[in-house]
């Protein structure tokens, strides 16, 4: 079902990093803005005459809580007309036209295998929503890994919140990894791919079909971020022995 265009009111703005902002948007016409964790909204911004040149889609970073407020996590893109307008023009009290929720990048009905949430940058938004939803409703699940690829320590988003969630959500591991930091005992360095490959290889079990072989443990992989990361991840995950049906993706940019 195609959602109608609605008016949302920006009620709060917070800088998460130098180039990333959190926008809280209220939908006055609704008592409750209902969505599934992982879905997105599309904003219609006054940046072009043609409608399809004005639309920008963003994953919802908050989780369904029965209110009519949702949160977006937006990074300022160099030369990006949409994010430049949002950062320069939008203040608390500003009204935005949006449509949603939309999308099928959502959790399975029954979580009977491990989940790997793999992201870069603001791609953490839908996974934050999913993790809090699982905790809030005490939804049964297997092991849950959130692999967040960053360049430097200051690039992490929701860092403290994820550390707290790690203590509160059963079988949840938050694994940020830094591509431009020196190796150390308290953090992972490099790219996300080596992290999930190591976990998957360590979780292999003897194969029933082929004696002597080690089979991969059943898992779902959710990918959210830039195209290069997603393309490489899909290739590597299949090389581990998983099929394409195990992989779900949400592309940015």
């Amino acid at each position: 079902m195609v959602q109608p265009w609605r008016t949302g009111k920006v009620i709060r703005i917070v800088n998460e990093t130098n180039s990333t902002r959190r926008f809280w948007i209220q939908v006055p016409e609704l008592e409750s803005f209902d969505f599934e964790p992982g879905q997105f909204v599309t904003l219609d911004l006054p940046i072009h005459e043609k409608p399809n040149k004005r639309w920008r889609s963003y994953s919802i970073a908050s989780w369904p809580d029965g209110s009519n407020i949702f949160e977006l996590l937006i990074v300022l893109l160099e030369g990006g007309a949409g994010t430049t307008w949002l950062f320069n023009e939008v203040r608390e009290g500003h009204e935005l036209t949006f449509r949603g929720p939309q999308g099928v990048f959502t959790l399975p009905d029954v979580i009977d295998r491990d989940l790997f949430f793999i992201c870069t940058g603001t791609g953490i938004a839908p996974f934050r929503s999913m993790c809090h939803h699982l905790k809030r409703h005490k939804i049964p699940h297997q092991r849950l890994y959130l692999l967040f690829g960053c360049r430097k320590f200051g690039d992490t988003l929701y860092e403290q919140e994820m550390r707290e969630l790690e203590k509160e959500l059963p079988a949840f591991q938050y694994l940020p990894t830094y591509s431009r930091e020196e190796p150390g005992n308290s953090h992972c360095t490099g790219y996300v791919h080596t992290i999930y490959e190591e976990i998957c290889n360590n979780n292999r079990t003897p194969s029933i079909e082929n004696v002597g072989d080690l089979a991969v443990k059943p898992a779902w992989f959710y990918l959210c971020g830039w195209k290069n990361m997603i393309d490489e991840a899909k290739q590597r995950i299949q090389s581990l022995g998983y099929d394409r049906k195990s992989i779900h993706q949400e592309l940015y940019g």
Side-chain angles (χ1 to χ4, degrees), residues 144-203:
L144 174 58
Y145 305 95
L146 174 54
L147 282 63
F148 184 18
C150 308
R151 291 182 178 179
K152 307 285 285 182
F153 291 138
D155 295 335
T156 54
L157 304 166
Y158 304 117
E159 170 79 12
Q160 191 56 42
E161 183 180 308
M162 291 299 110
R163 295 294 183 196
E164 290 300 318
L165 198 57
E166 202 172 24
K167 301 172 186 175
E168 300 166 354
L169 185 62
F172 172 59
Q173 271 188 278
Y174 170 61
L175 299 167
T177 182
Y178 307 94
S179 61
R180 297 189 182 177
E181 294 288 355
E182 293 297 317
N185 295 327
S186 60
H187 60 273
C188 301
T189 54
Y191 295 98
V192 291
H193 310 295
T194 56
I195 308 299
Y196 62 75
E197 285 176 335
E198 182 179 349
I199 294 171
C200 291
N201 284 323
N202 287 340
N203 286 345

Side-chain angles (χ1 to χ4, degrees), residues 96-167:
L96 294 173
T97 300
F98 78 95
R99 182 167 66 192
Q102 298 167 276
V104 294
F105 187 70
T106 53
L107 289 166
D109 292 333
V110 177
I111 307 174
D112 58 359
R113 61 187 68 184
D114 289 352
L115 283 174
F116 287 83
F117 294 156
I118 304 168
C119 60
T120 51
T122 53
I124 194 175
F127 301 141
R128 178 190 186 231
S129 179
M130 291 176 184
C131 289
H132 278 281
H133 182 73
L134 291 173
K135 175 197 160 193
R136 178 182 170 88
H137 295 281
K138 296 183 172 63
I139 295 172
H141 59 87
Q142 304 299 309
R143 293 207 64 83
L144 174 58
Y145 305 95
L146 174 54
L147 282 63
F148 184 18
C150 308
R151 291 182 178 179
K152 307 285 285 182
F153 291 138
D155 295 335
T156 54
L157 304 166
Y158 304 117
E159 170 79 12
Q160 191 56 42
E161 183 180 308
M162 291 299 110
R163 295 294 183 196
E164 290 300 318
L165 198 57
E166 202 172 24
K167 301 172 186 175

Side-chain angles (χ1 to χ4, degrees), residues 31-64:
E31 286 189 14
S32 175
F33 180 71
D34 300 319
F35 61 94
E36 289 188 59
Q39 290 190 302
F40 64 89
V41 297
T42 298
L43 305 182
D44 186 356
L45 306 176
I47 56 175
H48 202 279
E49 292 178 0
K50 294 181 180 179
N52 63 346
K53 300 281 189 180
R54 298 197 304 257
W55 297 345
R56 299 291 187 275
S57 296
Y58 300 100
S59 294
I60 302 171
S62 51
W63 50 97

Side-chain angles (χ1 to χ4, degrees), residues 113 216 219 221 234 237-238 240-247:
R113 61 187 68 184
V216 290
F221 298 83
K234 286 193 294 186
I237 290 165
Q238 289 177 87
L240 286 168
Y242 293 96
D243 60 31
R244 291 182 66 88
K245 293 179 182 177
S246 301
I247 304 170

